[in-house]
Amino acid sequence: MESQAAPAPGEALYRELLWVHDALRADLERVRALADETLAGAEPDRVEAEVADLRTNSPLWRLKTGCLAHCGFVHRHHRLEDVALFPALLRANPDLAPVVEKLAADHRSIAGRVEDVEAAVRALGDGDGRGGETARPQVASALDRLAGELLEHLGYEEEQVAETMRAMTEL
């Protein structure tokens, strides 16, 4: 039986990056559907339960640590990139400095979007006595802004770092 050689470190890292990004995209599809359901009048308890389910049953939760929330995972993934991946990319290719600066700025902006989603979902059950009717558009809008910004960021990152990352021999 012929054995396959392990991929180079950079190729393996790039494959993992794509896997994580695909998992995030899958969760974002679910989030966008939840935004539509929220606008259509889904019960606040159901919306909160769906968000809680993302925190406990997404593929990232099952495969990574057993207790990650989707939003928490986004924060942690971006923090790891900021402190480990980006410096390694710059060592491998200093010309990526403008790309890395943009990606780091995206991370800060996306962190705010994640916090907006969490705050909007908490507001669903508060206040007006009608199950958060005034909060529904805020939840949907916050989810859509997060999804749009995060999807754009993921695509840009994959496109801009692929060549350098795949060529890396040291991490």
Side-chain angles (χ1 to χ4, degrees), residues 3-53:
S3 66
Q4 293 182 340
E11 179 66 27
L13 185 61
Y14 185 69
R15 288 179 189 175
E16 182 173 340
L17 178 78
L18 293 177
W19 177 85
V20 169
H21 285 185
D22 286 346
L24 288 170
R25 285 183 179 101
D27 282 352
L28 284 171
E29 284 181 34
R30 190 169 167 196
V31 162
R32 282 195 154 159
L34 182 58
D36 292 341
E37 292 173 30
T38 299
L39 280 176
E43 292 296 318
D45 290 346
R46 181 173 158 1
V47 174
E48 289 177 297
E50 283 288 321
V51 171
D53 190 56

Side-chain angles (χ1 to χ4, degrees), residues 121-135:
V121 168
R122 281 192 302 274
L124 261 183
D126 295 342
D128 64 17
R130 293 178 302 176
E133 288 299 320
T134 58

Side-chain angles (χ1 to χ4, degrees), residues 95-158:
D95 292 339
L96 281 179
V99 169
V100 168
E101 286 177 26
K102 180 190 178 332
L103 292 172
D106 286 355
H107 288 177
R108 292 187 297 275
S109 179
I110 290 166
R113 296 287 183 228
V114 168
E115 291 166 7
D116 292 347
V117 167
E118 292 168 337
V121 168
R122 281 192 302 274
L124 261 183
D126 295 342
D128 64 17
R130 293 178 302 176
E133 288 299 320
T134 58
R136 289 176 189 279
Q138 293 170 338
V139 170
S141 178
L143 290 169
D144 281 341
R145 283 192 308 270
L146 171 62
E149 192 169 332
L150 187 52
L151 288 170
E152 183 178 319
H153 167 78
L154 298 176
Y156 177 80
E157 182 175 39
E158 292 166 4

